[in-house]
Amino acid sequence: MDITCMEIPGKSKDIKVIKSKKLNWIKTKVTDIKSISPKVKIFTLETEKKIHIEPGQHFEIKLISASGYEAQRSYSVISNFSDTNKLCFAVSKINNGEVSEYLHEKLEISHNLYIRGPIGKYFNLNKICKSVILIAGGIGITPFIFYLRQKNFDTKISLIYSAKNQKEYLFRKELEDKNKLHKNFNLIVTLTKEFERTWKGLNSRINNEIIKSVTNKHSPLKTQYFVCGGSNFVENMSNILMNLGIDYKDIKLERFGP
Ligand SMILES: Cc1cc2nc3c(=O)[nH]c(=O)nc-3n(C[C@H](O)[C@H](O)[C@H](O)COP(=O)(O)OP(=O)(O)OC[C@H]3O[C@@H](n4cnc5c(N)ncnc54)[C@H](O)[C@@H]3O)c2cc1C
């Protein structure tokens, strides 16, 4: 079952569109595991056949214990190419998290994992027109990384990214290199728990003023907003956007957390 969740911010009830589409579990082999921060590792899973993936899509990863107990969670794909047999996922370790802790502590190169996907038409970033503002909280950066890797920056893109500190500022070099290279790309990073003097950037949570000033830079283009992160973060960003008078049809939300 491919479940696409379509949310209308500010409305009392979310609308869920449930589409039936048979997705089979695919056997993959772990070919690479790399730490990119104290909490985040990138896992590369190789499939037999190439898979077509689009930015914003995710896969379900399934763990099966010896007793037959199964647990599955969703992870956004961050690969380098749209047609690939190497699927990369950046997973943040949650304390006592059933799946993320296993992936971080027990999974090894050459192990097999079952995955299902790609899933997600609603958060598909390929459908953006002239101008987009991406808003990420923590590990919610993942769908945007794959999107930015695909882009030639012929459209105006801003990324407002909130991380805890410099160690958890994920994909820093890649993002800062793109920011230097492409005049159509505007990177705004704010670190909410950074105490090092080496950080010269913003330190507040993403707020009304930050979003408003970035929005003004996109004016008069019709701009779409994509927000991704934990539930509280997404809720707060959605409220700010609605209060700024952004049309709900131009806002798309993806919640990672509880
Ligand atoms: C569409 C989609 C895409 C996702 N993509 C990614 C991704 O690219 N990378 C990634 O790391 N995660 C991603 N997630 C989140 C992921 O699916 C899991 O929810 C996450 O890894 C926690 O699972 P777990 O089994 O480790 O923890 P669980 O066993 O499910 O939870 C353990 C405890 O931690 C709490 N908890 C669960 N999630 C969080 C959280 N995010 N922050 C704080 N506390 C939490 C739970 O409430 C519970 O108390 C995505 C989620 C969705 C819906």
Side-chain angles (χ1 to χ4, degrees):
M1 182 91 84
D2 176 13
I3 301 177
T4 311
C5 248
M6 185 168 69
E7 289 183 34
I8 302 189
K11 301 275 162 177
S12 55
K13 277 188 183 159
D14 296 339
I15 295 176
K16 287 193 175 181
V17 180
I18 301 185
K19 292 177 186 164
S20 287
K21 186 176 145 201
K22 204 162 172 29
L23 283 172
N24 295 323
W25 289 100
I26 308 163
K27 190 176 179 181
T28 69
K29 190 179 208 171
V30 181
T31 55
D32 193 40
I33 300 176
K34 191 168 67 185
S35 278
I36 59 164
S37 84
K39 282 178 70 182
V40 178
K41 283 186 181 176
I42 294 183
F43 300 89
T44 304
L45 312 183
E46 242 177 78
T47 53
E48 207 176 287
K49 290 185 193 156
K50 279 190 177 178
I51 297 180
H52 179 77
I53 44 178
E54 305 212 345
Q57 290 192 311
H58 64 274
F59 283 77
E60 285 174 352
I61 294 183
K62 178 163 75 169
L63 302 181
I64 312 169
S65 75
S67 66
Y69 171 76
E70 293 185 2
Q72 60 200 54
R73 299 288 184 276
S74 305
Y75 294 100
S76 301
V77 66
I78 58 152
S79 300
N80 288 310
F81 305 102
S82 320
D83 290 294
T84 181
N85 66 340
K86 286 187 181 179
L87 299 170
C88 302
F89 301 94
V91 178
S92 175
K93 184 176 157 190
I94 307 285
N95 286 339
N96 300 318
E98 199 171 31
V99 172
S100 64
E101 210 165 72
Y102 178 91
L103 296 177
H104 270 255
E105 289 178 5
K106 300 273 176 22
L107 194 71
E108 290 175 15
I109 288 174
S110 88
H111 280 180
N112 293 122
L113 268 186
Y114 281 87
I115 63 163
R116 186 160 69 172
I119 301 168
K121 291 195 176 87
Y122 161 71
F123 207 70
N124 188 332
L125 287 137
N126 265 350
K127 292 176 188 152
I128 290 161
C129 18
K130 290 259 178 287
S131 155
V132 65
I133 298 179
L134 311 169
I135 306 176
I139 191 67
I141 190 73
T142 50
F144 304 143
I145 288 299
F146 182 32
Y147 172 67
L148 294 170
R149 284 178 181 169
Q150 306 290 301
K151 290 303 291 180
N152 57 7
F153 296 92
D154 54 349
T155 48
K156 193 165 172 54
I157 303 170
S158 288
L159 169 64
I160 311 175
Y161 174 26
S162 163
K164 282 199 173 125
N165 51 42
Q166 292 189 69
K167 285 183 183 156
E168 293 301 332
Y169 173 1
L170 307 172
F171 306 100
R172 179 173 187 166
K173 185 168 181 334
E174 183 173 344
L175 291 171
E176 292 183 354
D177 284 352
K178 279 191 204 310
N179 198 34
K180 278 186 208 134
L181 204 63
H182 302 286
K183 69 174 178 30
N184 260 349
F185 180 51
N186 177 24
L187 174 68
I188 304 98
V189 179
T190 181
L191 303 181
T192 53
K193 292 189 179 153
E194 177 61 53
F195 306 109
E196 299 290 334
R197 286 207 186 136
T198 49
W199 177 248
K200 306 279 182 228
L202 297 173
N203 273 120
S204 69
R205 288 175 181 274
I206 299 174
N207 56 31
N208 200 62
E209 285 70 42
I210 296 175
I211 298 184
K212 199 171 168 188
S213 80
V214 177
T215 296
N216 287 341
K217 288 187 185 149
H218 282 246
S219 176
L221 296 171
K222 180 174 166 54
T223 300
Q224 286 167 281
Y225 297 77
F226 282 74
V227 181
C228 186
S231 290
N232 284 342
F233 174 84
V234 171
E235 197 71 40
N236 290 338
M237 295 305 112
S238 162
N239 287 337
I240 293 175
L241 292 170
M242 296 299 287
N243 288 336
L244 285 173
I246 310 295
D247 187 340
Y248 70 83
K249 290 195 216 80
D250 294 325
I251 306 171
K252 292 203 173 177
L253 311 173
E254 180 118 287
R255 295 161 199 270
F256 274 11

